[in-house]
């Protein structure tokens, strides 16, 4: 297992694995009392998952290190604090977790005379807000008919579908004409 915190070009692989790694998540369910039925559970949307980590950044190599050449404890603390301040990170726990997250809480302290820095960290999944689709109403367009234009071509160009050809001809009170007259101004309403 590997645990990574990544943010742009900055990344930190935790040199010491925590004793435990687990994820907790809740569902925003509600219960209601319904006449003649009793209590019912109304399913809600999921809340964001959280992961709590507790370990240390070692000052000197240890037999249980995950890899060699890791940054000093001070550099690790600075990097985590910078990532926390800058916002969204990529949180990876191989092979189970790989998602955008934020560092909600980070506490550290020198606990013994070894130079190691002990820390606790709380990571919370980040979910980007969904952008609402534009509800702008399409405007009507007036065009001058050119040589070679047909109702189908005009419909395709201005509404996206040639199936609207009859509708456009009818809107312009020319439903009985096969082609729009060249030079005529035609109004197209989506």
């Amino acid at each position: 297992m590997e645990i990574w915190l990544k943010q742009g070009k900055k990344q930190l692989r935790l040199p010491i694995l925590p004793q435990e790694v687990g994820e907790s998540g809740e569902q925003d369910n509600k219960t209601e009392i319904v006449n003649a039925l009793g209590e019912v559970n109304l399913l809600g949307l999921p809340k964001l998952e959280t992961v709590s980590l507790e370990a240390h950044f070692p000052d000197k190599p240890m037999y249980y290190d995950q890899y060699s050449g890791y940054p000093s404890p001070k550099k690790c603390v600075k990097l985590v604090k910078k990532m926390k301040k800058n916002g969204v990170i990529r949180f990876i726990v191989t092979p189970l977790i790989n998602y955008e997250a934020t560092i909600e809480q980070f506490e550290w302290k020198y606990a013994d005379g070894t130079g190691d820095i002990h820390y606790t960290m709380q990571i919370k999944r980040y979910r980007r807000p969904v952008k609402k689709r534009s509800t702008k109403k399409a405007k009507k367009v007036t065009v001058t008919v050119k040589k070679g234009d047909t109702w189908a071509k005009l419909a395709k160009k201005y509404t996206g579908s040639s199936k609207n050809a009859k509708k456009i001809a009818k809107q312009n009170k020319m439903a009985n004409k096969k082609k729009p007259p060249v030079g005529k101004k035609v109004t197209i309403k989506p």
Side-chain angles (χ1 to χ4, degrees):
M1 175 169 52
E2 296 177 4
I3 300 177
W4 290 86
L5 307 175
K6 296 183 177 187
Q7 189 177 62
K9 293 182 180 180
K10 293 177 262 159
Q11 61 182 20
L12 175 64
R13 179 179 171 195
L14 298 184
I16 306 294
L17 289 176
Q19 282 187 324
E20 299 175 336
V21 177
E23 186 178 63
S24 66
E26 297 178 27
Q27 194 79 5
D28 195 22
N29 297 340
K30 304 217 182 312
T31 59
E32 294 287 333
I33 304 296
V34 177
N35 287 342
L37 188 59
E39 186 177 32
V40 295
N41 194 5
L42 304 173
L43 299 180
L45 297 173
K47 292 187 176 184
L48 299 171
E49 295 91 348
T50 58
V51 176
S52 295
L53 304 172
E54 186 175 338
H56 68 279
F57 299 124
D59 188 41
K60 295 180 177 61
M62 305 297 291
Y63 69 91
Y64 50 84
D65 295 347
Q66 291 297 298
Y67 63 101
S68 61
Y70 45 78
S72 71
K74 289 179 186 176
K75 285 184 181 177
C76 289
V77 167
K78 281 183 181 179
L79 186 56
V80 172
K81 286 170 74 173
K82 191 176 255 187
M83 288 178 171
K84 180 179 182 284
K85 181 181 176 188
N86 289 341
V88 180
I89 64 168
R90 170 70 47 188
F91 179 59
I92 302 168
V93 179
T94 60
L96 301 170
I97 297 173
N98 186 343
Y99 50 62
E100 287 186 315
T102 56
I103 301 170
E104 294 292 307
Q105 182 182 357
F106 178 61
E107 294 179 26
W108 63 272
K109 60 186 166 195
Y110 288 106
D112 48 30
T114 63
D116 296 348
I117 294 181
H118 296 257
Y119 68 88
T120 60
M121 192 181 324
Q122 187 178 48
I123 308 287
K124 184 176 251 185
R125 185 175 195 153
Y126 176 73
R127 190 175 297 134
R128 294 186 182 275
V130 177
K131 293 181 182 177
K132 289 190 176 184
R133 296 179 84 189
S134 175
T135 56
K136 290 182 183 176
K137 203 170 187 180
K139 296 178 183 177
K140 69 179 180 178
V141 179
T142 303
V143 295
T144 303
V145 178
K146 296 177 188 152
K147 186 176 180 182
D149 282 344
T150 64
W151 292 116
K153 284 182 183 177
L154 292 171
K156 176 77 172 166
K157 184 175 181 179
Y158 293 101
T159 68
S161 175
S162 58
K163 292 179 182 178
N164 294 323
K166 286 183 181 178
K167 179 181 166 188
I168 293 170
K170 191 174 180 181
Q171 288 171 351
N172 287 278
K173 297 179 178 139
M174 291 188 231
N176 59 346
K177 300 206 182 234
K178 291 184 179 184
K179 289 184 176 180
V182 176
K184 176 83 172 157
K185 291 195 183 254
V186 176
T187 302
I188 300 170
K189 299 176 194 170

